[in-house]
Amino acid sequence: MKLRGGYNVHLAGRPTNEVRDLPAPERLYLPLRSRRFTFSEIDVTDGQKVACGDEIAKDPGNFNVPLLAPYAGTVRLDALEGHVVLEDLDPAAGCSVREHDESAERSRYDPAVSEWKRRMLLELGAWQFFADAHTGTPLDPSGTPGAILVTTVHLDPHVARGDVLLRGRLDEFARGLEHLQSFLEYQPIYVAMSDIRTDFASEVREKLRGHAFVNLVAVPRRYPYGHPVALARHLGLTPSLENPVWALTTAGVLAVDRVLTTGTPAVERIVAVGGPAIDAPTHVRTVVGQPIHDLIGGHVTEKPVRVVNGGIMTGGTVGPEQKGLCAESTGLTVLVESTTRPFLGWIRPGWGSRSYSKTFASEVRPAFPEKINTALRGELRPCISCGQCVDVCPAGIMPNVIHKYIYAHDIESTIDTRVDLCFECGLCSYICPSKIDLRQQFIDAKKEIQAELEALLEEVEE
Ligand code: SF4
Ligand code: SF4
């Protein structure tokens, strides 16, 4: 597969392959917001006893995607703002098993079976793993996919990796794909895998080769080539409102299998806990609502720290108001919070830092993972027209030029330079020597353009 741009960041604190189990906490703090979902409709009352898998709340703005109770317990609604708290937990009680249709053949397209499966996926918590491959937005569960795109390649250094999730669960993954096939009449399922040659990778390829409906796509190990938008564009899959391309990650396919094969809710999560400020970065088996403190506590090497929900490239800071793991988290990245910015840090020799421009003294050292903190090497500066952002951008646009138009409030030129093609991978922001947060500027610009277009449409309709 030929893709342009891309760059691998080598950062300290990459989680190992190990998956650590965490004991159940005293309480779970279920955040009512995640990146895409707002669980604003509460379905439980204060003091109510719930079983594992019961619906706690749902997102009415996104097809009623539910927030489920990961364990049996008692609900507290007013204990912490923005959260539902579950206490008196009873993890041993296990999850309630929904009766499932044994006769439903996994891979045969049948509208009646397909409808039953969609309902199960939504109600038992697997639908939140589905997204429109081109926009990343939640999908209508009653819709028909133009194709299904599964990516097992997660190259942001600190998020849960597909190979770790797949180990020991290859049969479940293959069954999940068979279930997904039943949503398609003739359209393909693309499974993107890293092009590495290891015994495990060969085993996965061998397993999937037995499934004729799966098109294996070999992806070079270069960030952000595993991103659904990059893959969809390079596979020639076009965006469609009617038949969008459904995108899932490894965790999503495993959730599909859990729900449709066993009838149990998809409440377990495997997340990465890493970053330069963690002494033993690893993967952790946990549930939504697990206190953040339990996930990182005892492993922080230096304080103060900043905890990022997700990877370093696209994640967002976990604010002090968030106490538990949110429904969509794939990892926590922990960085030392630098209280002072190093004076003229960007022109220092850089023995311990890396640079895309290869100008630092570190170039003469053997490869090493960089230990970054939140200071990002110095002060913000104006664009120096180095062109590095253009070089790395996998969308083929010119971030430096778009930045200048945004700076000049020239919306028309911003549109002409195709800011819409930016899929927010964050690479330009990361490598920019002037530390300009290009990604955030483009996110804001796209929102502004959308709002202007909607206002214009309204005017035309009146
Ligand atoms: S402009 Fe968008 S797609 Fe290109 S590198 Fe920046 S964030 Fe990624
Ligand atoms: S990488 Fe930063 S400094 Fe260099 S051209 Fe792009 S915006 Fe300007």
Side-chain angles (χ1 to χ4, degrees):
M1 171 171 266
K2 252 196 162 335
L3 290 142
R4 76 170 302 286
Y7 175 61
N8 282 338
V9 292
H10 294 282
L11 298 178
R14 184 170 187 258
T16 61
N17 291 349
E18 188 204 340
V19 180
R20 181 160 54 94
D21 284 297
L22 271 190
E26 265 182 40
R27 287 187 191 82
L28 289 177
Y29 299 89
L30 304 162
L32 290 170
R33 263 178 189 278
S34 63
R35 191 174 56 83
R36 295 178 304 160
F37 300 112
T38 303
F39 302 103
S40 57
E41 207 170 303
I42 310 284
D43 300 310
V44 286
T45 52
D46 191 52
Q48 184 178 331
K49 298 228 177 289
V50 290
C52 163
D54 281 358
E55 186 173 303
I56 298 277
K58 54 180 163 296
D59 180 351
N62 280 308
F63 312 103
N64 289 329
V65 165
L67 176 67
L68 304 180
Y71 294 138
T74 307
V75 170
R76 293 286 164 229
L77 291 184
D78 300 319
L80 184 66
E81 205 183 330
H83 299 68
V84 170
V85 176
L86 267 190
E87 58 185 24
D88 305 327
L89 301 176
D90 184 4
C95 286
S96 46
V97 178
R98 186 78 67 87
E99 236 175 74
H100 61 290
D101 187 349
E102 297 286 353
S103 67
E105 274 183 48
R106 281 201 288 270
S107 56
R108 196 190 57 197
Y109 177 76
D110 174 338
V113 173
S114 167
E115 202 191 311
W116 165 79
K117 286 186 173 184
R118 289 160 196 263
R119 207 177 53 246
M120 290 279 281
L121 291 175
L122 181 66
E123 291 175 5
L124 298 188
W127 195 254
Q128 66 157 265
F129 291 93
F130 288 69
D132 182 317
H134 290 94
T135 61
T137 50
L139 288 160
D140 182 349
S142 64
T144 308
I148 296 180
L149 176 57
V150 174
T151 178
T152 64
V153 188
H154 315 302
L155 297 171
D156 205 334
H158 303 119
V159 300
R161 294 204 305 279
D163 60 327
V164 174
L165 268 66
L166 275 180
R167 262 168 225 279
R169 301 174 81 184
L170 212 43
D171 287 338
E172 295 164 45
F173 185 73
R175 272 195 322 244
L177 292 175
E178 288 168 19
H179 282 302
L180 287 170
Q181 196 210 357
S182 67
F183 294 107
L184 301 162
E185 278 180 273
Y186 50 82
Q187 308 91 322
I189 297 184
Y190 297 95
V191 177
M193 283 200 57
S194 163
D195 63 359
I196 51 164
R197 307 255 156 245
T198 62
D199 289 350
F200 181 64
S202 309
E203 197 188 325
V204 179
R205 278 189 207 102
E206 209 42 52
K207 180 91 190 168
L208 298 184
R209 240 173 237 132
H211 292 69
F213 58 89
V214 170
N215 289 10
L216 272 182
V217 182
V219 179
R221 281 182 65 77
R222 202 163 157 90
Y223 182 82
Y225 289 177
H227 195 291
V229 177
L231 291 170
R233 283 184 194 162
H234 286 276
L235 288 167
L237 304 171
T238 45
S240 160
L241 283 178
E242 213 171 309
N243 300 116
V245 178
W246 290 5
L248 289 106
T249 58
T250 316
V253 179
L254 294 172
V256 168
D257 175 61
R258 184 177 169 90
V259 166
L260 295 180
T261 303
T262 67
T264 44
V267 290
E268 184 187 285
R269 298 285 185 277
I270 292 180
V271 297
V273 178
I278 288 285
D279 65 355
T282 183
H283 288 74
V284 177
R285 194 186 322 275
T286 182
V287 292
V288 174
Q290 182 89 31
I292 305 274
H293 178 266
D294 289 5
L295 285 156
I296 63 170
H299 292 285
V300 173
T301 53
E302 234 177 291
K303 282 185 181 169
V305 291
R306 186 182 304 182
V307 181
V308 175
N309 187 14
I312 191 89
M313 305 301 289
T314 57
T317 301
V318 176
E321 70 290 346
Q322 185 183 334
K323 201 150 181 202
L325 192 73
C326 80
E328 291 186 276
S329 186
T330 53
L332 297 176
T333 307
V334 187
L335 303 170
V336 172
E337 182 78 76
S338 177
T339 44
T340 49
R341 281 189 175 262
F343 181 61
L344 295 183
W346 58 288
I347 50 166
R348 294 191 184 177
W351 185 251
S353 351
R354 285 166 164 269
S355 163
Y356 179 78
S357 62
K358 304 196 185 342
T359 49
F360 284 171
S362 60
E363 277 304 301
V364 298
R365 284 180 64 184
F368 67 98
E370 186 183 346
K371 204 171 172 195
I372 57 159
N373 61 22
T374 58
L376 297 174
R377 294 182 214 146
E379 313 75 15
L380 297 174
R381 297 170 291 281
C383 170
I384 53 168
S385 299
C386 65
Q388 288 177 190
C389 53
V390 182
D391 228 23
V392 294
C393 177
I397 52 180
M398 302 179 82
N400 53 350
V401 176
I402 302 175
H403 160 72
K404 282 169 190 163
Y405 286 133
I406 291 174
Y407 194 71
H409 303 291
D410 184 345
I411 287 235
E412 270 178 31
S413 303
T414 305
I415 295 172
D416 290 346
T417 38
R418 300 300 310 268
V419 70
D420 59 304
L421 290 178
C422 166
F423 55 88
E424 300 161 22
C425 71
L427 206 44
C428 52
S429 297
Y430 185 80
I431 59 97
C432 175
S434 292
K435 297 296 133 208
I436 301 168
D437 194 351
L438 299 157
R439 172 178 179 264
Q440 192 56 50
Q441 288 183 0
F442 302 164
I443 292 173
D444 295 342
K446 285 194 287 181
K447 277 192 197 142
E448 198 181 324
I449 292 166
Q450 183 66 23
E452 293 219 358
L453 284 177
E454 279 165 17
L456 215 69
L457 265 176
E458 263 176 39
E459 259 176 48
V460 172
E461 279 167 12
E462 275 168 15

